[in-house]
Amino acid sequence: MTAPATSRPAGGPARRLRRPRTVTGRRPGSLAVLVITTLLVLVPFLWMLSLAFTPEEAAFGSARLIPSHPTLDNFERAWSDGALGRAMVNSLIVTLIAVVTNCVLAVAAGYAFALLPFRGSRVLFYTLVSTVAVPVSVTLIPLFLMAKTFPLTGGNDITGVGGTGLLNTLGGVVLPYLIMPMNIFLAKQFFDGFDGDMAEAARIDGASELRIFRQVYLPLAKPLVAVVAIFTFTGVWDDFLWPLVVTTSHDTQTVQLALTRFLGSGNVQYGALMAAAVLVTLPVLAVFLFNQRHFISGLTEGSTKG
Amino acid sequence: MPSITPRRRAGATAAVLAGALLLVSGCGLQPQRSGSSGGDASSLTVWWPGTNQAEMDFVDDTVVPAFEEETGAHVEVTFVDWADLSPKLNAAFAAGTAPDVFGHGPAAVADFVVNDRVEDLGPYVDRMDPALREDISASLPGGQVDGTQYLMPLSVQGTLVAYDADAFTEAGLDPDDPPTTWEGVRDAAERLTVRDGGTITRAGLLVPSNPLGAQQSFAGFLAAAGGAQLSDDGSTAAFDSPEGEQALDFFAGLYGGDSPVADMLGEDYVNMPPNQQPIVKGDAAMAVLTAPALQQAVEAAPDKDIRAMPPLRFEDSDTPAMWGGAGPGLMINADSPAKDLGWDFIADLLAPDVSGQYTERIGAVPVHASAVDSEYVRSSPVIAAFVAASPSFVPNPNVPGWTGVRDALDARIAEALFGTADPSDALSDAADQVDSLLDAG
Amino acid sequence: MTSSPTATEAVLESGRTGRAPRRARRRRGRLTGLWFVLPAAAIVVWFTLVPVFYGLGLSFTQYSPLGRTGPRIIGFDNYVRLAGDADFRQAIGVTVRYTVQVLPVLVVLALLLAVLANKPFRGVGLFRSALYLPHIVSLTAVSMVWLWIYSRDGMVNELLDLVGLDPQRWLHEPGSALTAVSAMRVWKALGSNMVLLLAGLQAIPRHLYEAARMDGANAWQQFRYVTLPGLRPMLVYVVTMDIIYLSQSFAELFVLTQGGPLGETTTANYLIYNEAFQHNELGSASAMAFVLFALIIGFSFVSLRALTGRKS
């Protein structure tokens, strides 16, 4: 079930069709497609932005994208009670821990599954990845019990009895995110694109496996690490059900929980909700912007990849 | 997986299964009798149902400080959005970390009771001031299972028909003398419906028909026809009856037949933003609404004269009835070490002046009969209509497994409304499903 | 790095060879890979796999999380009941339909955008961010906007009105509800798919394009014979990820349609959630979950065969 390495490209037709265009040359047509798609994709978000600046009583009142009386009240209300700020700090701590563990351990594991296979590694790989296909509804309570009986935390003894373990702690929140199996899968697919010859060459020179990983392959895997960082950050930042059950106080709430404060049943505060939602996307957007620079096109780089 | 031969694979699977069963039976899922967090009686944890801003502010700024001052105890209140209450409570009860006091709607109470998770509040209610107990007596049955009090409702919920008085006048109807029967409402709706070719541009009457709304609407019609959803002992379905058929025929007839008077089938118009409410926008002349939604609609349409109709009945029934009854309330965890403190917290909320302020903040219907004389009720004709209608509100039955029963009934009702099933078939199918669910429970 | 330049250069020049890496297994370091895998595997086993087996065990029991007595073993009863459960059958059908109608649109669009956003130009980061935005914006908040977009006087009906068509009840007619939600799902997942494919495009060696151009390949031929084969590992990942996540869809349906009308948008995972947390039946919820699990694994397997089976 693994992807075979690619075969050499078959040559095109024998006759020259025309002189190749410069690599960076863009046809106006493709740029137009990109611009139009981007604008379409942005429409719902622009409405959110518009609602965030619209006075509460006028929400959804007019079909205008630019609010007639823009106001910052919603942002003030969203931020005022401090719950959102506190939640952002909590979410940042949890996401950063998860980003580090995934970028280091999951990437290393994926590398080994692709290029350093061992006896039983395929079975292990499929077992780890297949856990993602089990709906979280049924693993939630078992995981909750494990967090509660985590040894030597929250008043527990070595056998995990006596206290509340990791419940209502940031350590408890981060548990299921420490390694996301999909990141191992992603890393394996990425390294599947390489072959073992570079490692062979380095082995002949007597380099250790760790060193081969760090100095030969990791530099080529910048886009991979960037994607793992982005996806882990986004995934943890957006997750809801686990933080919902594992936290009980403001001190450990995450951002998605803080947003529910504006969802009063039959009394949604649209303006404040949108303002809070906009504020909450900013850190993720920053992480994305920072990381996407690693997608510097291979077409422009002098170095080649193989 | 080439490295495992079939025989070894079967062995591995069996081992895994055995291990899993051992795990399940062996760790973590034993009966939990441990105390909740906040293990002494000087602190109290409360999970409050819903995240209504006005409600949260009132609890945080008024109720909690007063209570802490009065008792010297520390209270930690966590507000949980309605949709998220059940996962949170389930996990907490499974692990024995549930709060001392928690809230929910009446529909969930029986499952807590059957699992011995909530305290019998009867003794506490008995010790209440008799006058106060009498004052809130109308709301109490909604919090009872088999006659025992487990939940103390904080407000009364219910639905009434809201109508646009100006539209009545235009159509030659008297807004000061609205219909008193559903047949009369249907006739009025015929006259109020505006059509453009085959499509309705203004609905004569809107009734909730969204998932779960459909079941509540049906329950209301059924009660107005003199029927009941379950038998008196709660063991079998009772809606597959002539009354049930009358109710569902009427309900489905609003959307189908030669001259439908309702549209928005399946849409949750009740929870739309106030300025999007059909009755506010003039997309409907009459609409069944809850008290907070109706109150917000009145405020969102200052140039309209929106009123609430008294409870309705069908012509061959003698008692008017609408769906409603006890609203969300609070329960006490049976394992809480701070039960008395928990009751004190609930009792504070039931004090007439606190309760009055509370219901006014959230635009809900007070639990106190005496509230009819309060400034809040007198200044709001809509709320006054709900208070007056309180005795006619008929709640859903409190039986274990009710949520499953409700969902099954709701799905079959929807089939009748969309016309994919005949009403009588839908009812008998639903009755079969409900009976087997009640047997299993 | 002390490797001899010639060896490494030779490797770099050779690009990919046609050999699968695992065939190049060395005697030396047969277990080295295990050390690389161990930390991650240990964490996944402990915090993911154990709860999964726990859940699997629960599927053979009757268990209410509220109960005081723990799970009661009832063998295969939950599974037997599911076999005759019409609502569950319908939900599986909805799940399959939803996955099948979102997946191709999503992957093809994302591939197009990734190719377009791969070429460097001033401001390309902004385009990428804008396309990624839907993926990171709070679903609860943005779903209110989508509810409004689809509403009677919403944007979609306004546009229809411009061209003289009647308004539709997008989210409330059994015929259109699932498609309306699908459109939102495509919108939401487009950015993440694009980002993955962008990363995949980075791994394609430049000299392959140069060689193709020397052979006179036009843009389409370069895409067909260089880009697509080079992207294959990432496409495998993207399709598998989409299948796994789409088959477990729940949140967007919960906020847009509550599973209605007539259960046309009630996915299997929606039922599982309700069974576990509304009906407090964790045992039968687990049984449903593992039936869905088997379906997802089977579905992934078939699509991967289709993706990787065709050798170009």
Side-chain angles (χ1 to χ4, degrees), chain B residues 16-17 20-21 24 27 29 31-32 83 86-87 90 93-94 111-112 115-117 211 263-267 281 335 403-404 407 412 414-415 418, chain C residues 50 53-54 56-58 60 63-68 70-71 73 87 148 152-153 169 172 174 254 257-258 260-262 273-274 276-280:
Chain B
V16 160
L17 269 183
L21 286 173
V24 170
C27 77
L29 290 178
Q32 295 279 352
S86 292
N90 280 7
F93 275 114
D111 272 353
F112 290 110
N115 286 300
D116 180 29
R117 289 299 190 178
D263 57 355
M264 300 190 90
L265 179 55
E267 298 184 47
K281 288 171 68 182
D335 296 334
T403 49
D407 292 357
R412 304 289 85 80
E415 285 168 6
F418 276 93
Chain C
V50 169
F53 277 120
Y54 217 123
L56 183 61
L58 283 181
F60 299 99
Y63 173 53
S64 162
L66 300 178
R68 289 186 182 278
I73 295 182
D87 287 342
W148 175 82
R152 187 198 303 218
D153 305 324
R169 302 190 326 127
H172 304 286
F254 187 77
T257 60
Q258 293 85 52
L262 293 180
Y273 182 90
N274 268 348
F277 300 122
Q278 296 297 324
H279 310 162
N280 302 329

Coordinates of all heavy atoms in Angstrom, one line a residue, chain B residues 16-17 20-21 24 27 29 31-32 83 86-87 90 93-94 111-112 115-117 211 263-267 281 335 403-404 407 412 414-415 418, chain C residues 50 53-54 56-58 60 63-68 70-71 73 87 148 152-153 169 172 174 254 257-258 260-262 273-274 276-280:
Chain B
V16 N -5.6 -9.4 21.5 CA -5.9 -8.0 21.6 C -7.3 -7.8 22.3 O -7.5 -7.0 23.2 CB -5.8 -7.3 20.2 CG1 -6.6 -6.0 20.2 CG2 -4.4 -7.1 19.9
L17 N -8.3 -8.6 21.8 CA -9.6 -8.5 22.3 C -9.7 -8.8 23.8 O -10.3 -8.1 24.6 CB -10.5 -9.4 21.5 CG -11.2 -8.8 20.3 CD1 -12.2 -9.9 19.7 CD2 -12.0 -7.6 20.7
A20 N -8.2 -6.1 25.7 CA -9.1 -4.9 25.8 C -10.2 -5.1 26.8 O -10.5 -4.3 27.6 CB -9.7 -4.7 24.4
L21 N -10.8 -6.3 26.8 CA -11.9 -6.6 27.7 C -11.3 -6.6 29.2 O -12.0 -6.1 30.1 CB -12.5 -8.0 27.4 CG -13.4 -8.0 26.2 CD1 -13.8 -9.4 25.8 CD2 -14.6 -7.1 26.4
V24 N -11.0 -3.1 30.1 CA -12.3 -2.5 30.4 C -12.8 -2.9 31.8 O -13.3 -2.1 32.6 CB -13.4 -2.8 29.4 CG1 -14.7 -2.4 29.8 CG2 -13.0 -2.2 28.1
C27 N -9.8 -1.8 34.8 CA -9.2 -0.5 35.3 C -10.1 0.7 35.0 O -10.6 0.8 33.9 CB -7.8 -0.3 34.9 SG -7.6 0.3 33.2
L29 N -13.0 1.8 35.3 CA -14.4 1.9 35.1 C -15.2 1.2 36.3 O -16.4 0.9 36.1 CB -14.9 1.2 33.8 CG -14.4 2.0 32.5 CD1 -14.8 1.3 31.3 CD2 -15.0 3.4 32.5
P31 N -17.2 1.1 39.8 CA -18.1 2.1 40.4 C -17.3 3.2 41.1 O -16.3 2.9 41.8 CB -18.9 1.3 41.4 CG -18.6 -0.1 41.2 CD -17.5 -0.2 40.1
Q32 N -17.7 4.4 40.9 CA -17.0 5.5 41.5 C -17.8 6.1 42.6 O -19.0 6.5 42.4 CB -16.7 6.6 40.5 CG -15.8 6.2 39.4 CD -14.3 6.3 39.7 OE1 -14.0 6.8 40.8 NE2 -13.5 5.8 38.9
A83 N -24.9 22.8 24.3 CA -24.6 21.6 23.4 C -23.5 20.8 24.1 O -23.3 19.7 23.7 CB -24.2 22.1 22.1
S86 N -23.6 17.6 28.1 CA -23.6 16.2 28.2 C -22.3 15.5 28.1 O -21.9 14.7 29.0 CB -24.6 15.5 27.2 OG -25.9 15.9 27.6
P87 N -21.4 15.8 27.1 CA -20.1 15.2 27.1 C -19.3 15.5 28.4 O -18.6 14.6 28.9 CB -19.4 15.8 25.9 CG -20.4 16.5 25.1 CD -21.7 16.6 25.9
N90 N -20.8 13.5 31.3 CA -20.6 12.1 31.2 C -19.2 11.7 31.6 O -18.9 10.7 32.3 CB -20.9 11.6 29.7 CG -22.3 11.5 29.5 OD1 -23.2 11.8 30.3 ND2 -22.7 10.9 28.3
F93 N -18.7 12.1 35.4 CA -19.3 11.1 36.2 C -18.6 9.8 36.1 O -18.5 9.0 37.0 CB -20.8 11.0 35.9 CG -21.7 11.9 36.7 CD1 -22.4 12.9 36.0 CD2 -21.8 11.9 38.0 CE1 -23.2 13.8 36.7 CE2 -22.6 12.8 38.8 CZ -23.3 13.7 38.1
A94 N -18.2 9.5 34.8 CA -17.4 8.2 34.6 C -16.2 8.2 35.5 O -15.8 7.1 35.9 CB -17.1 8.1 33.1
D111 N -32.2 10.1 33.5 CA -31.0 9.2 33.3 C -30.1 9.4 34.5 O -29.4 8.4 34.9 CB -30.3 9.5 32.0 CG -30.9 8.7 30.9 OD1 -31.7 7.8 31.1 OD2 -30.5 8.9 29.7
F112 N -30.0 10.6 35.1 CA -29.2 10.8 36.3 C -29.8 10.0 37.4 O -29.1 9.4 38.3 CB -29.0 12.3 36.6 CG -28.2 13.0 35.6 CD1 -28.8 13.9 34.8 CD2 -26.8 12.8 35.6 CE1 -28.0 14.6 33.8 CE2 -26.0 13.5 34.7 CZ -26.6 14.4 33.8
N115 N -29.4 6.2 37.4 CA -28.0 5.8 37.8 C -27.6 6.3 39.2 O -26.4 6.2 39.5 CB -27.0 6.3 36.7 CG -27.1 5.5 35.4 OD1 -26.9 4.3 35.4 ND2 -27.5 6.2 34.3
D116 N -28.6 6.7 39.9 CA -28.3 7.1 41.3 C -27.2 8.2 41.4 O -26.3 8.1 42.2 CB -27.9 5.8 42.1 CG -27.6 6.2 43.6 OD1 -28.2 7.1 44.1 OD2 -26.8 5.4 44.2
R117 N -27.3 9.2 40.5 CA -26.3 10.2 40.5 C -26.7 11.5 41.1 O -25.9 12.4 41.3 CB -25.9 10.5 39.0 CG -25.1 9.4 38.4 CD -23.8 9.1 39.1 NE -22.9 8.2 38.4 CZ -21.7 7.9 38.9 NH1 -21.2 8.4 40.0 NH2 -20.9 7.1 38.2
P211 N -35.1 19.8 13.6 CA -34.9 18.6 14.5 C -35.1 19.0 16.0 O -34.6 20.0 16.4 CB -33.4 18.3 14.2 CG -33.2 18.8 12.8 CD -34.1 20.0 12.6
D263 N -44.5 27.8 5.9 CA -43.3 27.4 5.1 C -42.2 27.2 6.2 O -42.5 26.9 7.3 CB -43.0 28.4 4.0 CG -42.8 29.8 4.5 OD1 -43.0 30.0 5.8 OD2 -42.4 30.6 3.8
M264 N -41.0 27.3 5.7 CA -39.8 27.2 6.6 C -39.8 25.8 7.3 O -39.4 25.7 8.4 CB -39.7 28.3 7.7 CG -39.6 29.7 7.1 SD -39.3 30.9 8.3 CE -37.5 31.0 8.3
L265 N -40.2 24.8 6.5 CA -40.2 23.4 7.1 C -38.8 23.0 7.4 O -37.9 23.1 6.6 CB -40.9 22.5 6.1 CG -40.9 21.0 6.4 CD1 -41.7 20.8 7.8 CD2 -41.7 20.2 5.4
G266 N -38.6 22.6 8.6 CA -37.3 22.1 9.0 C -36.3 23.2 9.5 O -35.2 22.9 9.9
E267 N -36.7 24.5 9.4 CA -35.8 25.6 9.8 C -36.0 26.0 11.2 O -37.1 26.0 11.7 CB -36.0 26.8 8.8 CG -35.7 26.5 7.4 CD -35.8 27.7 6.5 OE1 -35.3 28.7 6.9 OE2 -36.5 27.6 5.4
K281 N -39.6 40.5 10.3 CA -39.4 40.9 9.0 C -40.7 41.0 8.2 O -40.7 41.4 7.0 CB -38.5 40.0 8.3 CG -37.0 40.1 8.7 CD -36.1 39.0 8.2 CE -36.0 39.2 6.7 NZ -35.1 38.1 6.2
D335 N -23.0 12.3 45.2 CA -21.7 12.0 45.9 C -21.1 13.3 46.5 O -19.9 13.2 47.0 CB -20.7 11.3 45.0 CG -21.2 10.0 44.5 OD1 -22.0 9.4 45.2 OD2 -20.8 9.5 43.4
T403 N -34.1 10.8 26.0 CA -33.5 11.5 24.9 C -33.6 10.6 23.6 O -33.8 11.1 22.5 CB -32.1 11.9 25.2 OG1 -31.4 10.7 25.7 CG2 -32.0 13.0 26.1
G404 N -33.4 9.3 23.8 CA -33.5 8.4 22.7 C -34.9 8.3 22.1 O -35.1 8.3 20.9
D407 N -35.7 11.5 20.2 CA -35.0 11.5 18.9 C -35.8 10.6 17.9 O -35.9 11.0 16.7 CB -33.6 11.1 19.0 CG -32.7 12.1 19.7 OD1 -33.3 13.2 20.1 OD2 -31.5 11.9 19.9
R412 N -39.6 10.4 13.1 CA -40.8 9.9 12.4 C -41.8 11.1 12.1 O -42.4 11.1 11.1 CB -41.5 8.8 13.2 CG -40.6 7.6 13.5 CD -40.3 6.7 12.4 NE -39.1 7.2 11.6 CZ -37.8 6.9 11.9 NH1 -37.5 6.3 13.0 NH2 -36.8 7.4 11.1
A414 N -40.9 14.1 11.5 CA -40.4 14.8 10.3 C -40.8 14.2 9.0 O -41.1 14.8 8.1 CB -38.9 14.9 10.4
E415 N -40.8 12.8 9.0 CA -41.2 12.1 7.8 C -42.7 12.5 7.4 O -43.0 12.6 6.2 CB -41.1 10.6 8.0 CG -39.6 10.1 7.9 CD -39.4 8.7 8.4 OE1 -40.4 8.0 8.7 OE2 -38.3 8.3 8.5
F418 N -42.7 16.1 6.0 CA -42.1 16.2 4.7 C -42.9 15.4 3.6 O -42.6 15.5 2.5 CB -40.6 15.8 4.6 CG -39.7 16.8 5.0 CD1 -39.3 17.0 6.4 CD2 -39.2 17.7 4.1 CE1 -38.3 18.0 6.7 CE2 -38.3 18.7 4.5 CZ -37.9 18.8 5.8
Chain C
V50 N -4.2 2.8 23.4 CA -4.9 2.2 24.6 C -6.3 2.7 24.7 O -7.2 1.8 24.8 CB -4.1 2.5 25.9 CG1 -4.9 2.1 27.1 CG2 -2.7 1.8 25.9
F53 N -8.3 0.7 22.1 CA -8.7 -0.7 22.5 C -9.7 -0.7 23.6 O -10.5 -1.6 23.7 CB -7.4 -1.5 22.9 CG -6.7 -2.0 21.7 CD1 -5.4 -1.6 21.4 CD2 -7.3 -2.9 20.8 CE1 -4.7 -2.1 20.3 CE2 -6.7 -3.4 19.7 CZ -5.4 -3.0 19.4
Y54 N -9.6 0.2 24.5 CA -10.6 0.4 25.5 C -12.0 0.6 24.9 O -12.9 -0.1 25.3 CB -10.2 1.7 26.3 CG -10.5 1.8 27.7 CD1 -9.4 2.1 28.6 CD2 -11.7 1.5 28.2 CE1 -9.6 2.1 29.9 CE2 -11.9 1.6 29.6 CZ -10.9 1.9 30.4 OH -11.1 2.0 31.8
L56 N -12.8 -0.4 21.9 CA -13.1 -1.6 21.2 C -13.7 -2.6 22.2 O -14.8 -3.2 22.0 CB -11.9 -2.2 20.6 CG -12.1 -3.5 19.8 CD1 -13.1 -3.2 18.6 CD2 -10.8 -4.0 19.2
G57 N -13.1 -2.7 23.4 CA -13.7 -3.5 24.4 C -15.1 -3.1 24.8 O -16.0 -3.9 25.0
L58 N -15.3 -1.8 24.9 CA -16.6 -1.3 25.3 C -17.7 -1.7 24.3 O -18.8 -1.8 24.7 CB -16.5 0.2 25.5 CG -15.9 0.8 26.7 CD1 -16.0 2.3 26.7 CD2 -16.6 0.3 28.0
F60 N -18.4 -4.3 23.1 CA -19.0 -5.6 23.5 C -19.7 -5.6 24.8 O -20.0 -6.6 25.4 CB -17.9 -6.7 23.5 CG -17.2 -6.9 22.2 CD1 -16.0 -6.3 22.0 CD2 -17.8 -7.6 21.2 CE1 -15.3 -6.4 20.7 CE2 -17.2 -7.7 19.9 CZ -15.9 -7.1 19.7
Y63 N -22.8 0.0 28.5 CA -22.2 0.9 29.4 C -22.7 2.3 29.4 O -22.6 2.9 28.3 CB -20.7 0.9 29.2 CG -19.9 1.8 30.1 CD1 -20.1 1.8 31.5 CD2 -19.0 2.8 29.6 CE1 -19.4 2.7 32.3 CE2 -18.4 3.7 30.4 CZ -18.5 3.6 31.8 OH -17.9 4.5 32.6
S64 N -23.3 2.8 30.4 CA -23.6 4.2 30.5 C -22.5 4.9 31.3 O -22.2 4.4 32.4 CB -25.0 4.4 31.2 OG -25.0 5.8 31.6
P65 N -21.9 6.0 30.8 CA -20.9 6.7 31.6 C -21.4 7.1 32.9 O -20.6 7.4 33.8 CB -20.6 7.9 30.7 CG -21.1 7.6 29.3 CD -22.2 6.6 29.5
L66 N -22.7 7.3 33.0 CA -23.3 7.7 34.3 C -23.4 6.6 35.3 O -23.7 6.8 36.5 CB -24.7 8.3 34.1 CG -24.8 9.5 33.2 CD1 -26.2 10.0 33.0 CD2 -23.9 10.7 33.7
G67 N -23.3 5.3 34.8 CA -23.6 4.2 35.6 C -22.6 4.0 36.7 O -21.4 4.5 36.7
R68 N -23.0 3.3 37.8 CA -22.1 3.1 38.9 C -21.5 1.7 38.9 O -20.6 1.3 39.6 CB -22.8 3.2 40.2 CG -23.2 4.7 40.6 CD -23.8 4.7 42.0 NE -24.2 6.1 42.3 CZ -23.3 7.0 42.8 NH1 -22.1 6.7 42.9 NH2 -23.8 8.2 43.1
G70 N -20.1 0.0 36.2 CA -19.2 -0.4 35.1 C -19.9 -1.1 34.0 O -21.1 -1.3 34.0
P71 N -19.1 -1.4 33.0 CA -19.7 -2.0 31.7 C -20.2 -3.5 32.0 O -19.6 -4.2 32.8 CB -18.5 -2.0 30.7 CG -17.4 -1.2 31.4 CD -17.6 -1.2 32.8
I73 N -20.8 -7.0 30.1 CA -20.4 -7.6 28.8 C -21.7 -8.3 28.2 O -22.4 -9.0 28.9 CB -19.3 -8.6 29.1 CG1 -18.1 -7.9 29.5 CG2 -19.0 -9.4 27.8 CD1 -16.9 -8.8 29.8
D87 N -31.7 3.5 10.8 CA -31.1 4.9 10.9 C -29.6 4.8 10.7 O -29.0 5.7 10.1 CB -31.5 5.5 12.3 CG -32.9 5.9 12.3 OD1 -33.5 6.1 11.3 OD2 -33.4 6.1 13.5
W148 N -26.3 32.3 7.2 CA -26.9 33.5 6.6 C -26.7 33.5 5.1 O -27.6 33.9 4.4 CB -26.2 34.7 7.3 CG -26.7 36.0 6.6 CD1 -27.8 36.7 6.9 CD2 -26.0 36.7 5.6 NE1 -27.9 37.8 6.1 CE2 -26.8 37.8 5.3 CE3 -24.8 36.5 4.9 CZ2 -26.4 38.7 4.3 CZ3 -24.4 37.4 3.9 CH2 -25.3 38.5 3.7
R152 N -32.9 32.5 3.4 CA -33.9 32.8 2.4 C -33.4 34.1 1.6 O -33.5 34.2 0.4 CB -35.2 33.1 3.0 CG -36.3 33.3 2.0 CD -37.5 33.9 2.5 NE -38.1 33.1 3.6 CZ -39.4 32.9 3.8 NH1 -40.3 33.5 3.0 NH2 -39.9 32.3 4.8
D153 N -33.0 35.1 2.4 CA -32.6 36.4 1.7 C -31.0 36.5 1.7 O -30.5 37.6 1.6 CB -33.1 37.6 2.5 CG -34.6 37.5 2.6 OD1 -35.3 37.0 1.7 OD2 -35.1 37.8 3.7
R169 N -34.3 26.7 -0.7 CA -34.0 26.5 0.8 C -32.9 25.5 0.9 O -33.1 24.3 1.2 CB -35.3 26.0 1.5 CG -36.4 26.9 1.3 CD -37.6 26.6 2.1 NE -37.8 25.2 2.3 CZ -37.9 24.6 3.5 NH1 -37.8 25.3 4.6 NH2 -38.1 23.3 3.6
H172 N -32.4 23.1 3.9 CA -33.6 22.5 4.5 C -34.4 21.6 3.6 O -35.4 21.1 3.9 CB -34.5 23.6 5.1 CG -33.7 24.5 6.0 ND1 -33.4 24.0 7.3 CD2 -33.2 25.7 5.9 CE1 -32.7 25.0 7.9 NE2 -32.6 26.0 7.1
P174 N -34.4 18.1 1.5 CA -33.6 16.8 1.5 C -32.7 16.7 0.3 O -31.7 16.1 0.4 CB -34.8 15.8 1.5 CG -35.9 16.5 2.1 CD -35.8 17.9 1.8
F254 N -23.5 19.6 12.6 CA -24.1 19.9 13.9 C -24.5 21.4 13.9 O -25.6 21.7 14.3 CB -23.1 19.6 15.0 CG -23.6 19.8 16.4 CD1 -24.4 18.8 16.9 CD2 -23.3 20.9 17.2 CE1 -24.9 18.9 18.2 CE2 -23.8 21.0 18.4 CZ -24.6 20.0 19.0
T257 N -27.1 22.1 10.1 CA -28.4 21.4 9.8 C -28.9 20.6 10.9 O -30.0 20.1 10.8 CB -28.2 20.5 8.6 OG1 -27.2 19.5 8.9 CG2 -27.8 21.2 7.3
Q258 N -28.1 20.4 12.0 CA -28.6 19.5 13.1 C -28.9 18.1 12.6 O -29.8 17.5 13.1 CB -29.7 20.1 13.9 CG -29.4 21.3 14.8 CD -29.5 22.5 13.9 OE1 -30.6 22.8 13.3 NE2 -28.5 23.3 13.9
G260 N -30.6 17.4 10.0 CA -31.8 17.3 9.2 C -31.5 17.7 7.8 O -30.4 17.9 7.4
P261 N -32.5 17.8 6.9 CA -33.9 17.3 7.0 C -34.0 15.8 6.7 O -33.3 15.3 5.9 CB -34.6 18.1 5.9 CG -33.5 18.4 4.9 CD -32.2 18.5 5.7
L262 N -34.9 15.2 7.5 CA -35.1 13.7 7.3 C -33.9 12.9 7.4 O -33.7 11.9 6.8 CB -35.7 13.5 5.9 CG -37.1 14.0 5.6 CD1 -37.6 13.7 4.2 CD2 -38.1 13.4 6.7
Y273 N -21.9 10.4 18.2 CA -21.9 11.5 19.2 C -23.2 11.5 20.0 O -23.1 11.5 21.2 CB -21.6 12.8 18.5 CG -21.5 14.0 19.4 CD1 -20.3 14.3 19.9 CD2 -22.6 14.7 19.8 CE1 -20.2 15.4 20.7 CE2 -22.5 15.8 20.6 CZ -21.3 16.1 21.1 OH -21.2 17.2 22.0
N274 N -24.3 11.4 19.3 CA -25.6 11.4 20.0 C -25.7 10.2 20.9 O -26.2 10.3 22.0 CB -26.7 11.4 19.0 CG -27.2 12.8 18.7 OD1 -26.8 13.8 19.3 ND2 -28.0 13.0 17.6
A276 N -23.4 8.4 22.3 CA -22.5 8.5 23.4 C -22.9 9.6 24.4 O -22.8 9.3 25.6 CB -21.1 8.7 23.0
F277 N -23.3 10.7 24.0 CA -23.5 11.8 24.9 C -24.9 12.3 25.1 O -25.2 13.0 26.1 CB -22.6 13.0 24.4 CG -21.1 12.7 24.3 CD1 -20.4 12.8 23.2 CD2 -20.5 12.2 25.5 CE1 -19.1 12.4 23.1 CE2 -19.2 11.8 25.4 CZ -18.5 11.9 24.3
Q278 N -25.8 12.0 24.2 CA -27.2 12.3 24.4 C -28.0 11.2 25.0 O -28.7 11.3 25.9 CB -27.9 12.8 23.1 CG -27.3 14.0 22.5 CD -27.5 15.3 23.4 OE1 -28.5 15.4 24.1 NE2 -26.5 16.1 23.4
H279 N -27.7 10.0 24.5 CA -28.4 8.8 25.0 C -27.6 8.0 26.0 O -28.1 7.0 26.6 CB -28.8 7.8 23.8 CG -29.4 8.5 22.7 ND1 -29.5 8.0 21.4 CD2 -30.1 9.7 22.6 CE1 -30.1 8.8 20.6 NE2 -30.5 9.9 21.3
N280 N -26.4 8.5 26.3 CA -25.5 7.8 27.3 C -25.3 6.3 27.1 O -25.2 5.6 28.1 CB -26.1 8.1 28.7 CG -26.3 9.5 29.0 OD1 -25.5 10.3 28.5 ND2 -27.3 9.9 29.8

